[in-house]
Amino acid sequence: MTGVDPVSREVPYALAIASSDSSGGAGVQADLKTMARLGVYGGSVVVATTAQNTTGVRSTHLLPTDEVRAQYDAVVDDVAVGAVKTGMLATVEGVRTVHDCLRSFDGPVVVDPVMVATSGDRLLEAEAVDAYRDLFAEATLVTPNADETAELVGERPSSSAARERAADRFFDWGADAVLFKGGHVNDDSATVTDVLISDGEGGPTAVDAERIATDATHGSGCTLSSAVAAELARGASLSAAVERGIEFVRAGLREPARVGEHGSVNHLAWSEPRE
């Protein structure tokens, strides 16, 4: 006997549907570390494996879509999933399979439309962009960066008017809310502004913060979306989940993990106590 109590059946549970990162900074590995750090039990549906590190992606191996579906079914047949997040889905078939899985899921879904890695490596087939637009119908929240927004709607969210126009497109596709990440907007600015816009619920909510000077941003997008999903699984409101997710990522950027050539977001940096 170890004296360690078994995990309570009441623990919040979140599911990451994404691809792996062999270096541990992004992908499913980042998702699970983030969820655990925030007190949420994380599960995973692996869409693809990647051979990558902090400098780039060397290769990708796609899992058969039947296996992706089998993983999902195995989890939801046994576990009460409180929230889902999606990450790198890689192909048209991957996006469509995940969309089909989530049609019957009754809970919050955070869609991170992963298209390009921080290193610049392409992570999504160009043909899969249209399929993502269909997946947004299941999204409680979409978390695009500026480049992803431009590819999806044809315009960078670099002004209030541009964000409003882009948000309307996401709402037309069925998303409930959009978090426009500001890290790739006005790179020379001392401030980063993330903007949350919800369909039919008041005006935009902007979160301004001082830009953190670091190259160790590997995994930041995956970490943010999984942190938001974890908080939603805990029962937080969307605005509160987004705020805590941003704080979690900023903690990991202020004290990055000194691994590899470029470093990574540090998923162990978060230390705020829970009541």
Tab-separated table of all heavy atoms in Angstrom, residues 3 11 13 16 29 34 46 51 59 63-64 77 96 113 127 139 149 166 179 215 217 237-238 249 258 264:
chain	number	residue	atom	x	y	z
A	3	GLY	N	-0.441	4.393	0.267
A	3	GLY	CA	-1.055	5.464	1.027
A	3	GLY	C	-1.620	6.563	0.163
A	3	GLY	O	-2.147	7.543	0.666
A	11	VAL	N	-13.506	14.076	-10.191
A	11	VAL	CA	-12.510	15.016	-10.682
A	11	VAL	C	-12.908	15.513	-12.068
A	11	VAL	O	-13.417	14.747	-12.888
A	11	VAL	CB	-11.107	14.345	-10.740
A	11	VAL	CG1	-11.048	13.265	-11.810
A	11	VAL	CG2	-10.016	15.381	-10.995
A	13	TYR	N	-12.779	16.348	-15.896
A	13	TYR	CA	-12.094	15.595	-16.949
A	13	TYR	C	-12.209	16.382	-18.256
A	13	TYR	O	-13.292	16.811	-18.652
A	13	TYR	CB	-12.744	14.220	-17.113
A	13	TYR	CG	-12.003	13.265	-18.032
A	13	TYR	CD1	-11.269	12.204	-17.506
A	13	TYR	CD2	-12.052	13.406	-19.416
A	13	TYR	CE1	-10.603	11.312	-18.340
A	13	TYR	CE2	-11.386	12.526	-20.253
A	13	TYR	CZ	-10.661	11.479	-19.706
A	13	TYR	OH	-9.999	10.602	-20.529
A	16	ALA	N	-8.279	16.038	-24.870
A	16	ALA	CA	-7.533	16.687	-25.940
A	16	ALA	C	-7.561	15.812	-27.182
A	16	ALA	O	-7.167	14.645	-27.131
A	16	ALA	CB	-6.086	16.926	-25.502
A	29	GLN	N	1.148	16.446	-25.459
A	29	GLN	CA	1.947	16.491	-24.239
A	29	GLN	C	1.723	17.805	-23.487
A	29	GLN	O	1.578	17.824	-22.263
A	29	GLN	CB	3.432	16.313	-24.568
A	29	GLN	CG	3.814	14.901	-24.968
A	29	GLN	CD	3.634	14.633	-26.450
A	29	GLN	OE1	2.889	15.318	-27.140
A	29	GLN	NE2	4.349	13.635	-26.958
A	34	THR	N	-0.770	20.773	-19.008
A	34	THR	CA	-1.543	21.955	-18.635
A	34	THR	C	-2.772	21.564	-17.825
A	34	THR	O	-3.070	22.152	-16.775
A	34	THR	CB	-1.965	22.724	-19.897
A	34	THR	OG1	-0.794	23.179	-20.580
A	34	THR	CG2	-2.852	23.901	-19.548
A	46	VAL	N	-5.253	10.788	-30.078
A	46	VAL	CA	-4.101	11.166	-30.895
A	46	VAL	C	-4.455	11.026	-32.373
A	46	VAL	O	-4.828	9.945	-32.828
A	46	VAL	CB	-2.873	10.309	-30.545
A	46	VAL	CG1	-1.692	10.686	-31.434
A	46	VAL	CG2	-2.509	10.476	-29.076
A	51	ALA	N	7.562	13.975	-35.249
A	51	ALA	CA	8.945	14.020	-34.776
A	51	ALA	C	9.356	15.475	-34.840
A	51	ALA	O	9.571	16.037	-35.914
A	51	ALA	CB	9.844	13.162	-35.671
A	59	SER	N	9.001	15.231	-39.151
A	59	SER	CA	8.120	14.323	-39.875
A	59	SER	C	6.805	14.188	-39.124
A	59	SER	O	6.712	14.480	-37.927
A	59	SER	CB	8.765	12.941	-40.051
A	59	SER	OG	8.921	12.295	-38.800
A	63	LEU	N	-2.415	8.801	-38.050
A	63	LEU	CA	-3.112	7.588	-37.640
A	63	LEU	C	-4.342	7.397	-38.522
A	63	LEU	O	-4.957	8.381	-38.963
A	63	LEU	CB	-3.529	7.664	-36.180
A	63	LEU	CG	-2.492	7.183	-35.146
A	63	LEU	CD1	-1.312	8.142	-35.114
A	63	LEU	CD2	-3.120	7.047	-33.775
A	64	PRO	N	-4.725	6.158	-38.787
A	64	PRO	CA	-5.952	5.927	-39.558
A	64	PRO	C	-7.151	6.561	-38.869
A	64	PRO	O	-7.254	6.554	-37.634
A	64	PRO	CB	-6.070	4.392	-39.579
A	64	PRO	CG	-4.685	3.897	-39.317
A	64	PRO	CD	-4.054	4.898	-38.398
A	77	ASP	N	-17.395	6.445	-24.053
A	77	ASP	CA	-18.235	5.331	-23.604
A	77	ASP	C	-18.059	5.042	-22.119
A	77	ASP	O	-18.916	4.400	-21.504
A	77	ASP	CB	-17.912	4.055	-24.399
A	77	ASP	CG	-18.468	4.084	-25.810
A	77	ASP	OD1	-19.261	5.000	-26.123
A	77	ASP	OD2	-18.096	3.200	-26.611
A	96	ARG	N	-12.584	16.164	-40.541
A	96	ARG	CA	-13.940	15.646	-40.719
A	96	ARG	C	-14.276	14.548	-39.720
A	96	ARG	O	-15.407	14.465	-39.228
A	96	ARG	CB	-14.105	15.133	-42.149
A	96	ARG	CG	-14.182	16.262	-43.185
A	96	ARG	CD	-14.243	15.712	-44.600
A	96	ARG	NE	-14.400	16.802	-45.566
A	96	ARG	CZ	-14.238	16.668	-46.879
A	96	ARG	NH1	-13.934	15.467	-47.384
A	96	ARG	NH2	-14.393	17.691	-47.682
A	113	PRO	N	-7.479	26.141	-34.249
A	113	PRO	CA	-7.283	25.758	-35.650
A	113	PRO	C	-5.802	25.770	-36.033
A	113	PRO	O	-5.323	26.652	-36.749
A	113	PRO	CB	-8.082	26.821	-36.413
A	113	PRO	CG	-8.002	28.035	-35.542
A	113	PRO	CD	-7.991	27.520	-34.112
A	127	GLU	N	-6.053	22.036	-48.146
A	127	GLU	CA	-7.414	21.626	-48.474
A	127	GLU	C	-8.286	21.463	-47.232
A	127	GLU	O	-9.516	21.368	-47.345
A	127	GLU	CB	-7.394	20.305	-49.252
A	127	GLU	CG	-6.724	20.378	-50.612
A	127	GLU	CD	-5.206	20.301	-50.523
A	127	GLU	OE1	-4.672	20.122	-49.387
A	127	GLU	OE2	-4.545	20.428	-51.565
A	139	ALA	N	-18.085	24.509	-32.011
A	139	ALA	CA	-17.156	25.222	-31.132
A	139	ALA	C	-17.847	26.173	-30.162
A	139	ALA	O	-18.600	27.057	-30.569
A	139	ALA	CB	-16.143	26.001	-31.971
A	149	THR	N	-6.330	33.410	-38.574
A	149	THR	CA	-7.510	34.201	-38.901
A	149	THR	C	-7.456	34.673	-40.346
A	149	THR	O	-8.453	34.596	-41.081
A	149	THR	CB	-7.618	35.414	-37.965
A	149	THR	OG1	-7.716	34.968	-36.615
A	149	THR	CG2	-8.842	36.260	-38.292
A	166	ALA	N	-14.183	39.595	-38.797
A	166	ALA	CA	-13.740	38.199	-38.699
A	166	ALA	C	-14.638	37.414	-37.753
A	166	ALA	O	-15.006	36.264	-38.035
A	166	ALA	CB	-12.291	38.142	-38.225
A	179	LEU	N	-11.647	33.875	-29.607
A	179	LEU	CA	-10.576	34.570	-28.899
A	179	LEU	C	-9.486	34.865	-29.915
A	179	LEU	O	-8.789	33.970	-30.388
A	179	LEU	CB	-10.012	33.713	-27.773
A	179	LEU	CG	-8.798	34.311	-27.040
A	179	LEU	CD1	-9.181	35.614	-26.335
A	179	LEU	CD2	-8.216	33.317	-26.038
A	215	ASP	N	12.027	34.009	-26.794
A	215	ASP	CA	11.880	33.167	-27.978
A	215	ASP	C	11.282	31.808	-27.625
A	215	ASP	O	10.973	31.011	-28.515
A	215	ASP	CB	13.245	32.946	-28.646
A	215	ASP	CG	13.799	34.221	-29.262
A	215	ASP	OD1	12.993	35.068	-29.701
A	215	ASP	OD2	15.036	34.378	-29.299
A	217	THR	N	8.524	30.336	-27.065
A	217	THR	CA	7.071	30.351	-27.192
A	217	THR	C	6.524	29.026	-27.723
A	217	THR	O	5.320	28.919	-27.979
A	217	THR	CB	6.628	31.479	-28.133
A	217	THR	OG1	7.252	31.302	-29.418
A	217	THR	CG2	7.026	32.838	-27.563
A	237	SER	N	-16.972	30.123	-16.120
A	237	SER	CA	-17.586	30.825	-17.246
A	237	SER	C	-16.548	30.972	-18.352
A	237	SER	O	-15.339	30.847	-18.119
A	237	SER	CB	-18.071	32.206	-16.819
A	237	SER	OG	-16.968	33.046	-16.506
A	238	LEU	N	-17.004	31.254	-19.560
A	238	LEU	CA	-16.073	31.381	-20.678
A	238	LEU	C	-15.085	32.509	-20.442
A	238	LEU	O	-13.873	32.342	-20.653
A	238	LEU	CB	-16.841	31.614	-21.980
A	238	LEU	CG	-15.971	31.757	-23.230
A	238	LEU	CD1	-15.137	30.510	-23.464
A	238	LEU	CD2	-16.853	32.060	-24.446
A	249	VAL	N	-0.561	30.843	-19.514
A	249	VAL	CA	0.451	30.919	-20.562
A	249	VAL	C	1.499	31.973	-20.231
A	249	VAL	O	2.705	31.759	-20.425
A	249	VAL	CB	-0.198	31.220	-21.924
A	249	VAL	CG1	0.868	31.476	-22.991
A	249	VAL	CG2	-1.083	30.063	-22.349
A	258	ARG	N	13.911	25.856	-20.139
A	258	ARG	CA	15.158	25.949	-20.901
A	258	ARG	C	15.516	24.572	-21.440
A	258	ARG	O	16.429	23.903	-20.953
A	258	ARG	CB	16.273	26.512	-20.017
A	258	ARG	CG	15.989	27.896	-19.462
A	258	ARG	CD	15.786	28.916	-20.577
A	258	ARG	NE	15.561	30.265	-20.057
A	258	ARG	CZ	15.263	31.315	-20.811
A	258	ARG	NH1	15.142	31.159	-22.120
A	258	ARG	NH2	15.061	32.499	-20.276
A	264	SER	N	10.866	26.388	-24.431
A	264	SER	CA	9.439	26.110	-24.562
A	264	SER	C	8.680	26.799	-23.437
A	264	SER	O	9.264	27.196	-22.422
A	264	SER	CB	9.206	24.593	-24.491
A	264	SER	OG	7.835	24.284	-24.379
